[in-house]
Amino acid sequence: MTVTKEESGHEGADDHGGMSGEGDGYVPSQRRLDRERHKRARARRATAIAALSTLVTVVVLYLVVVNAPGWPRTKETFFNGEYAREAFPKVLEGLWLNVRLLLICGAAVLVLGMLIAIARTLRGPVFFPLRALAAAYTDFFRGLPLIINLMIVVLGVPALRLQGVTVDPVLLGGTALTLTYSAYVAEVFRAGIESVHPSQRAAARSLGLTNRQALRHVVLPQAVRRQVPPLLNDLVSLQKDTGLVSIGGAVDAVRAADIIVGRSLNYTPYIVAGLVFVALTIPMTRFTDWVTARMDRRRAQGGAL
């Protein structure tokens, strides 16, 4: 098939530069129309196959579960509609505490994590004690299980009976969450700082900036921008782990469900609390995926990181 120079030029401009439009009299070639028709047909076929396979999987799983010998007892214990209706408003009321913990602890974690990361990247022998303390902090709290950290802080601090120190389980639980997650976030920030090429700092110094100014105006903006996806993932994990403050008696979503379970010996409220956390987490997860994909596209196109 012969393609004229005019057709070829217009088609290439439309594919790569997006210069052609309806107002310039451009008429797509038959080959282009066939190619677009084939792409649409392939997309419809892929969508149909994905929908069919998903439906088959769901049906198979449903049949396996409902035909299990213990399904009637499991349904009554974990999926009781009456207890679900009773638990839902109380779980939502307790969820407000989890949201407040996420906002306050998230801000504290970002600030403390940034300070620890900066301390770990300071240069010069005079800063060795500070670097060693920051490294010991991150190693200790990354290795210590969060549940043990919570028990130590929430249960151990009140036992000391220190004057002026709070015994509020919400504040103590938030402190434990901040201590643990700031260690993880500090490593994320440190990786971002070290990923900035040394020539960036050298160029800033050659323009007359001090080390502090170069770090603040040149290195940190690039480091934070590159580490946005892993930071958002840490915040998603923090949102889920706020439910662990219930071990100290704080009435959050998990504790509200636990109170009903203790009274009724029915575990449906736990399912309700879990679904509420999932519903809260999914938007944050999708936002993280969107930010990651956007940054990958910009990186592939040679845009700013």
Side-chain angles (χ1 to χ4, degrees):
M1 178 178 180
T2 303
V3 181
T4 65
K5 181 178 180 181
E6 184 178 357
E7 280 183 332
S8 175
H10 279 295
E11 185 177 11
D14 186 61
D15 284 344
H16 300 93
M19 296 184 296
S20 61
E22 296 180 359
D24 60 2
Y26 166 68
V27 178
S29 65
Q30 185 61 41
R31 184 174 65 176
R32 180 180 178 83
L33 294 175
D34 292 340
R35 185 166 63 245
E36 292 178 351
R37 189 181 302 111
H38 174 71
K39 288 181 179 179
R40 289 193 297 268
R42 186 171 58 183
R44 287 195 298 268
R45 183 168 60 252
T47 303
I49 293 174
L52 179 61
S53 62
T54 302
L55 179 62
V56 170
T57 302
V58 170
V59 170
V60 169
L61 290 176
Y62 173 78
L63 292 176
V64 169
V65 171
V66 300
N67 290 318
W71 168 245
R73 180 60 178 170
T74 301
K75 180 181 178 181
E76 177 64 24
T77 305
F78 290 91
F79 302 99
N80 188 293
E82 179 181 351
Y83 289 111
R85 287 188 294 272
E86 178 186 355
F88 185 69
K90 297 180 180 178
V91 168
L92 281 185
E93 183 179 351
L95 186 67
W96 175 233
L97 174 60
N98 298 103
V99 173
R100 284 181 292 168
L101 279 172
L102 171 64
L103 296 176
I104 297 174
C105 294
V109 162
L110 292 176
V111 173
L112 183 57
M114 175 64 77
L115 294 176
I116 296 171
I118 293 174
R120 291 205 63 183
T121 56
L122 291 175
R123 300 178 179 181
V126 69
F127 294 114
F128 174 78
L130 195 57
R131 291 198 302 269
L133 286 175
Y137 178 93
T138 55
D139 290 344
F140 179 78
F141 282 104
R142 290 175 72 197
L144 183 68
L146 175 58
I147 189 69
I148 295 180
N149 185 18
L150 279 162
M151 289 180 178
I152 292 173
V153 175
V154 175
L155 304 179
V157 171
L160 295 175
R161 299 181 181 179
L162 298 174
Q163 283 291 98
V165 178
T166 182
V167 294
D168 188 344
V170 176
L171 295 178
L172 294 175
T175 301
L177 290 171
T178 302
L179 291 173
T180 295
Y181 272 91
S182 60
Y184 288 97
V185 170
E187 288 301 284
V188 173
F189 279 132
R190 185 172 72 93
I193 292 173
E194 293 182 348
S195 70
V196 178
H197 198 275
S199 62
Q200 298 285 318
R201 193 188 296 263
R205 293 302 309 279
S206 68
L207 293 175
L209 274 68
T210 64
N211 275 326
R212 181 181 301 178
Q213 291 172 331
L215 180 66
R216 177 184 175 185
H217 298 291
V218 178
V219 177
L220 287 183
Q222 297 183 65
V224 172
R225 190 161 55 243
R226 294 177 180 182
Q227 298 304 102
V228 167
L231 287 174
L232 290 175
N233 281 326
D234 283 336
L235 290 180
V236 170
S237 298
L238 175 62
Q239 184 270 317
K240 295 182 296 183
D241 286 339
T242 56
L244 295 176
V245 298
S246 61
I247 66 173
V251 183
D252 67 331
V254 177
R255 180 60 178 165
D258 188 58
I259 292 173
I260 300 175
V261 170
R263 184 181 70 248
S264 64
L265 298 180
N266 187 283
Y267 297 105
T268 302
Y270 286 148
I271 302 298
V272 174
L275 292 177
V276 168
F277 272 100
V278 170
L280 185 63
T281 302
I282 286 177
M284 297 178 63
T285 306
R286 296 286 75 80
F287 177 70
T288 302
D289 293 341
W290 177 81
V291 171
T292 304
R294 181 172 178 268
M295 295 186 68
D296 289 343
R297 287 195 301 269
R298 295 184 64 182
R299 189 180 295 110
Q301 295 169 1
L305 297 178

Short mmCIF file of all heavy atoms in Angstrom, two decimals, residues 228-236 281-294:
data_model
loop_
_atom_site.label_atom_id
_atom_site.label_comp_id
_atom_site.label_asym_id
_atom_site.label_seq_id
_atom_site.Cartn_x
_atom_site.Cartn_y
_atom_site.Cartn_z
N VAL A 228 8.51 10.72 47.85
CA VAL A 228 7.09 10.85 48.17
C VAL A 228 6.36 9.51 48.19
O VAL A 228 5.61 9.22 49.14
CB VAL A 228 6.41 11.85 47.20
CG1 VAL A 228 4.89 11.77 47.31
CG2 VAL A 228 6.87 13.27 47.51
N PRO A 229 6.51 8.63 47.18
CA PRO A 229 5.78 7.35 47.23
C PRO A 229 6.08 6.50 48.46
O PRO A 229 5.15 6.06 49.14
CB PRO A 229 6.20 6.66 45.93
CG PRO A 229 6.56 7.78 45.01
CD PRO A 229 7.19 8.81 45.89
N PRO A 230 7.37 6.25 48.81
CA PRO A 230 7.59 5.45 50.04
C PRO A 230 7.11 6.16 51.30
O PRO A 230 6.69 5.50 52.25
CB PRO A 230 9.11 5.24 50.05
CG PRO A 230 9.68 6.23 49.12
CD PRO A 230 8.64 6.48 48.09
N LEU A 231 7.15 7.49 51.34
CA LEU A 231 6.63 8.20 52.50
C LEU A 231 5.13 7.98 52.63
O LEU A 231 4.61 7.77 53.74
CB LEU A 231 6.94 9.69 52.38
CG LEU A 231 8.39 10.11 52.60
CD1 LEU A 231 8.56 11.60 52.31
CD2 LEU A 231 8.85 9.79 54.01
N LEU A 232 4.42 8.03 51.52
CA LEU A 232 2.98 7.79 51.56
C LEU A 232 2.68 6.35 51.98
O LEU A 232 1.70 6.10 52.70
CB LEU A 232 2.36 8.08 50.19
CG LEU A 232 2.32 9.56 49.78
CD1 LEU A 232 1.81 9.71 48.35
CD2 LEU A 232 1.44 10.36 50.73
N ASN A 233 3.50 5.41 51.56
CA ASN A 233 3.30 4.02 51.99
C ASN A 233 3.48 3.88 53.50
O ASN A 233 2.73 3.14 54.16
CB ASN A 233 4.29 3.11 51.27
CG ASN A 233 3.88 2.78 49.86
OD1 ASN A 233 2.69 2.66 49.57
ND2 ASN A 233 4.83 2.65 48.95
N ASP A 234 4.45 4.60 54.07
CA ASP A 234 4.63 4.56 55.52
C ASP A 234 3.42 5.16 56.24
O ASP A 234 3.02 4.68 57.30
CB ASP A 234 5.90 5.31 55.91
CG ASP A 234 7.15 4.49 55.62
OD1 ASP A 234 7.04 3.25 55.58
OD2 ASP A 234 8.23 5.09 55.44
N LEU A 235 2.84 6.21 55.67
CA LEU A 235 1.66 6.81 56.29
C LEU A 235 0.46 5.87 56.22
O LEU A 235 -0.37 5.84 57.13
CB LEU A 235 1.34 8.14 55.61
CG LEU A 235 2.32 9.28 55.87
CD1 LEU A 235 1.89 10.54 55.13
CD2 LEU A 235 2.46 9.56 57.37
N VAL A 236 0.36 5.10 55.13
CA VAL A 236 -0.71 4.11 55.04
C VAL A 236 -0.54 3.06 56.14
O VAL A 236 -1.51 2.67 56.80
CB VAL A 236 -0.71 3.44 53.65
CG1 VAL A 236 -1.65 2.24 53.62
CG2 VAL A 236 -1.13 4.45 52.58
N THR A 281 -8.24 3.02 54.19
CA THR A 281 -6.90 2.85 53.63
C THR A 281 -6.89 2.87 52.11
O THR A 281 -5.94 3.36 51.49
CB THR A 281 -6.31 1.51 54.13
OG1 THR A 281 -6.28 1.52 55.55
CG2 THR A 281 -4.90 1.31 53.59
N ILE A 282 -7.93 2.34 51.48
CA ILE A 282 -7.93 2.22 50.02
C ILE A 282 -7.72 3.55 49.31
O ILE A 282 -6.90 3.63 48.38
CB ILE A 282 -9.23 1.53 49.56
CG1 ILE A 282 -9.18 0.04 49.89
CG2 ILE A 282 -9.46 1.72 48.06
CD1 ILE A 282 -10.44 -0.72 49.53
N PRO A 283 -8.42 4.65 49.69
CA PRO A 283 -8.15 5.92 48.99
C PRO A 283 -6.69 6.36 49.11
O PRO A 283 -6.11 6.86 48.14
CB PRO A 283 -9.10 6.91 49.68
CG PRO A 283 -10.18 6.06 50.25
CD PRO A 283 -9.52 4.79 50.65
N MET A 284 -6.09 6.19 50.29
CA MET A 284 -4.69 6.56 50.46
C MET A 284 -3.79 5.69 49.60
O MET A 284 -2.81 6.17 49.01
CB MET A 284 -4.30 6.43 51.94
CG MET A 284 -5.05 7.35 52.87
SD MET A 284 -4.58 7.10 54.60
CE MET A 284 -2.83 7.54 54.55
N THR A 285 -4.11 4.40 49.50
CA THR A 285 -3.30 3.51 48.68
C THR A 285 -3.40 3.87 47.20
O THR A 285 -2.39 3.89 46.48
CB THR A 285 -3.76 2.05 48.89
OG1 THR A 285 -3.74 1.74 50.29
CG2 THR A 285 -2.86 1.09 48.14
N ARG A 286 -4.62 4.15 46.74
CA ARG A 286 -4.79 4.54 45.34
C ARG A 286 -4.09 5.87 45.04
O ARG A 286 -3.53 6.05 43.97
CB ARG A 286 -6.27 4.64 45.00
CG ARG A 286 -7.05 3.34 45.08
CD ARG A 286 -6.75 2.39 43.92
NE ARG A 286 -5.46 1.73 44.02
CZ ARG A 286 -5.21 0.68 44.80
NH1 ARG A 286 -6.17 0.16 45.52
NH2 ARG A 286 -4.02 0.14 44.83
N PHE A 287 -4.13 6.79 45.99
CA PHE A 287 -3.43 8.06 45.80
C PHE A 287 -1.93 7.83 45.71
O PHE A 287 -1.24 8.44 44.89
CB PHE A 287 -3.76 9.01 46.96
CG PHE A 287 -3.02 10.32 46.90
CD1 PHE A 287 -3.33 11.25 45.92
CD2 PHE A 287 -2.01 10.61 47.81
CE1 PHE A 287 -2.66 12.46 45.86
CE2 PHE A 287 -1.33 11.81 47.74
CZ PHE A 287 -1.65 12.75 46.77
N THR A 288 -1.40 6.93 46.55
CA THR A 288 0.02 6.59 46.48
C THR A 288 0.37 6.00 45.13
O THR A 288 1.40 6.35 44.53
CB THR A 288 0.37 5.60 47.60
OG1 THR A 288 0.05 6.18 48.87
CG2 THR A 288 1.84 5.25 47.58
N ASP A 289 -0.46 5.09 44.63
CA ASP A 289 -0.21 4.50 43.31
C ASP A 289 -0.23 5.57 42.22
O ASP A 289 0.58 5.53 41.29
CB ASP A 289 -1.26 3.42 43.01
CG ASP A 289 -1.13 2.22 43.92
OD1 ASP A 289 -0.06 2.05 44.53
OD2 ASP A 289 -2.11 1.45 44.03
N TRP A 290 -1.18 6.52 42.33
CA TRP A 290 -1.26 7.58 41.32
C TRP A 290 -0.01 8.45 41.34
O TRP A 290 0.53 8.79 40.28
CB TRP A 290 -2.50 8.42 41.58
CG TRP A 290 -2.63 9.58 40.62
CD1 TRP A 290 -3.12 9.56 39.36
CD2 TRP A 290 -2.25 10.94 40.89
NE1 TRP A 290 -3.06 10.82 38.81
CE2 TRP A 290 -2.54 11.69 39.72
CE3 TRP A 290 -1.70 11.59 42.00
CZ2 TRP A 290 -2.29 13.05 39.63
CZ3 TRP A 290 -1.45 12.95 41.91
CH2 TRP A 290 -1.75 13.66 40.75
N VAL A 291 0.44 8.82 42.53
CA VAL A 291 1.64 9.64 42.63
C VAL A 291 2.85 8.89 42.08
O VAL A 291 3.68 9.46 41.35
CB VAL A 291 1.88 10.05 44.10
CG1 VAL A 291 3.24 10.71 44.26
CG2 VAL A 291 0.79 11.00 44.57
N THR A 292 2.97 7.60 42.41
CA THR A 292 4.08 6.80 41.91
C THR A 292 4.08 6.72 40.39
O THR A 292 5.11 6.90 39.73
CB THR A 292 4.03 5.39 42.51
OG1 THR A 292 4.02 5.47 43.94
CG2 THR A 292 5.22 4.56 42.06
N ALA A 293 2.90 6.43 39.81
CA ALA A 293 2.80 6.35 38.35
C ALA A 293 3.11 7.69 37.69
O ALA A 293 3.78 7.74 36.64
CB ALA A 293 1.41 5.87 37.95
N ARG A 294 2.64 8.77 38.30
CA ARG A 294 2.91 10.11 37.73
C ARG A 294 4.40 10.41 37.74
O ARG A 294 4.94 10.95 36.76
CB ARG A 294 2.14 11.15 38.55
CG ARG A 294 2.31 12.58 38.06
CD ARG A 294 1.36 13.50 38.82
NE ARG A 294 1.53 14.88 38.42
CZ ARG A 294 2.35 15.75 39.00
NH1 ARG A 294 3.09 15.34 40.03
NH2 ARG A 294 2.45 16.99 38.58
#
